[in-house]
Amino acid sequence: MSTPDPLHVCNVEVALWRGRRWLLIRRGGGERHSAGRLALVGGKVEHDEAPGAVLENALRREAVEEVGLEPVGAPHYVTSAHFTLPNGTSVVNVVFCAPAPDAEPVVRDVSEVAGFAWLTAREVAESDAPEWTKAYVELAERIRGRVTSDGAAAPVAVGGAARAGA
């Protein structure tokens, strides 16, 4: 059966790390989902996204658009989740993690990103971030530990999906 509307919106997020700290943004008041809440950098995959590694291209584009940072190297898959927005839109969310470059983040559009903070995984767990963001950072922290402890660069998948949330 064909429909003019997509069955799901595809969203990507990236947990950017520097040392033992994670970049979290405070979503701007103009955002339809979770305005004012702590979140990872990310957004929707566009219909005209660069070909090839579509999810990775989208997360790089979103990171540059939101905070002016492009993740370093190949991103590592963290998890995926599904949730439904209050307006009924079905969203598939795919989360990655990657090292952040040495440059500092810059808020590009305050309606999208009101601010940002570099937090440890423990600080995220103790913050006012939504439970799904806390779960994503916890999973990403495991991957960061594996990737950085021995210098390995290969992606490491962690089993189990974190629950997203509306």
Side-chain angles (χ1 to χ4, degrees):
M1 183 166 112
S2 178
T3 176
D5 295 326
L7 296 176
H8 302 284
V9 167
C10 184
N11 192 68
V12 293
E13 292 184 85
V14 62
L16 293 171
W17 81 75
R18 183 175 297 150
R20 294 189 173 272
R21 297 196 172 273
W22 297 94
L23 178 63
L24 268 72
I25 62 168
R26 178 76 63 186
R27 293 176 59 84
E31 291 297 295
R32 292 185 314 177
H33 176 60
S34 296
R37 300 194 75 186
L38 286 174
L40 299 177
V41 172
K44 292 189 236 32
V45 174
E46 306 276 334
H47 288 283
D48 60 349
E49 205 66 65
V54 175
L55 298 177
E56 293 86 343
N57 291 341
L59 76 85
R60 289 180 186 287
R61 177 187 49 75
E62 285 289 342
V64 170
E65 286 178 6
E66 289 189 355
V67 293
L69 298 179
E70 184 169 334
V72 175
H76 305 275
Y77 173 80
V78 174
T79 192
S80 61
H82 173 266
F83 61 94
T84 303
L85 295 173
N87 69 2
T89 301
S90 179
V91 179
V92 172
N93 193 47
V94 183
V95 182
F96 294 86
C97 65
D102 287 336
E104 283 305 308
V106 176
V107 172
R108 301 285 177 120
D109 180 349
V110 294
S111 68
E112 284 188 33
V113 176
F116 58 84
W118 290 99
L119 303 172
T120 65
R122 171 175 261 165
E123 290 169 334
V124 173
E126 296 171 352
S127 75
D128 66 342
E131 292 305 313
W132 60 87
T133 299
K134 293 176 182 183
Y136 295 159
V137 171
E138 181 181 336
L139 291 169
E141 177 72 8
R142 293 182 204 166
I143 294 170
R144 186 204 55 77
R146 290 178 186 163
V147 171
T148 61
S149 65
D150 63 0
V156 179
V158 174
R163 182 164 187 252

